[in-house]
Amino acid sequence: MVDLHTHSNCSDGSLTPAQLLQAAQQAGVTAVALCDHNTVAGLPEFMDAAQKQGVTAVPGVEFSTEHKGKELHLLGLFVLPEHYAAVERMVKEQHVLKEISNMELVERLNQAGYFIDYAKVKGRNPNGNANRAHMAAELLEQGYVTSIREAFDTILSDNGGLY
């Protein structure tokens, strides 16, 4: 069994890269790719842990892009360590735009009565980036919703929510 599209807590997953490998191994997955959104920050830990756990690890990244007004996500697999810095430079502008978008979302949430501490939200991610999943986790922790799914379906919905 193989999974070539997973995320760690370096983007919108809930497990560290090493924990992700443990979970894959426990589930009987023999090869797994870590493809965090617009970052390779978790790949060194992921690849190091894979050598110790005997799971075939595929270093990857999921790039967010747009084509004809539609958001697209493209997987890049088998990213070599010597290219990690180039990938991070390439997505740097996306990180800046995401930070602006996040701050605007937090402002909308606060204006709507959902009081969110953005510094705390950013602290949920080891590389300091935040996304909608981190916002949903904070809404859950603050008691505004009863599940992450509820946060996505209501407050953070693409259709009529504050996202």
Side-chain angles (χ1 to χ4, degrees):
M1 191 163 31
V2 174
D3 189 341
L4 296 178
H5 186 182
T6 68
H7 301 291
S8 75
N9 65 348
C10 291
S11 67
D12 60 352
S14 57
L15 302 175
T16 68
Q19 290 170 334
L20 179 68
L21 282 166
Q22 289 174 329
Q25 188 175 38
Q26 290 170 353
V29 175
T30 57
V32 62
L34 175 59
C35 300
D36 280 319
H37 293 279
N38 301 311
T39 187
V40 293
L43 291 182
E45 176 187 343
F46 180 73
M47 297 306 291
D48 184 54
Q51 287 184 342
K52 297 172 186 168
Q53 293 184 18
V55 175
T56 300
V58 178
V61 61
E62 182 172 354
F63 295 106
S64 299
T65 187
E66 189 177 302
H67 178 69
K68 295 183 180 181
K70 298 261 184 184
E71 183 179 12
L72 297 175
H73 293 188
L74 302 173
L75 294 182
L77 299 175
F78 301 100
V79 179
L80 299 174
E82 58 264 29
H83 298 139
Y84 292 178
V87 169
E88 289 298 329
R89 281 192 304 274
M90 186 177 81
V91 298
K92 185 175 182 176
E93 181 181 346
Q94 288 178 310
H95 290 282
V96 170
L97 294 173
K98 184 64 177 170
E99 181 72 7
I100 292 168
S101 173
N102 284 341
M103 290 187 295
E104 290 171 350
L105 174 57
V106 168
E107 186 176 321
R108 286 191 303 276
L109 287 167
N110 288 333
Q111 288 174 351
Y114 303 104
F115 300 105
I116 301 298
D117 177 354
Y118 187 49
K120 185 177 176 188
V121 171
K122 287 178 68 166
R124 292 182 180 282
N125 189 325
N127 63 10
N129 296 326
N131 58 42
R132 189 165 63 152
H134 299 111
M135 301 289 186
E138 182 65 14
L139 290 166
L140 175 61
E141 187 174 298
Q142 295 295 326
Y144 294 119
V145 293
T146 58
S147 69
I148 299 289
R149 173 78 329 201
E150 180 185 348
F152 280 119
D153 290 345
T154 58
I155 301 167
L156 299 176
S157 168
D158 288 330
N159 301 319
L162 298 170
Y163 183 64

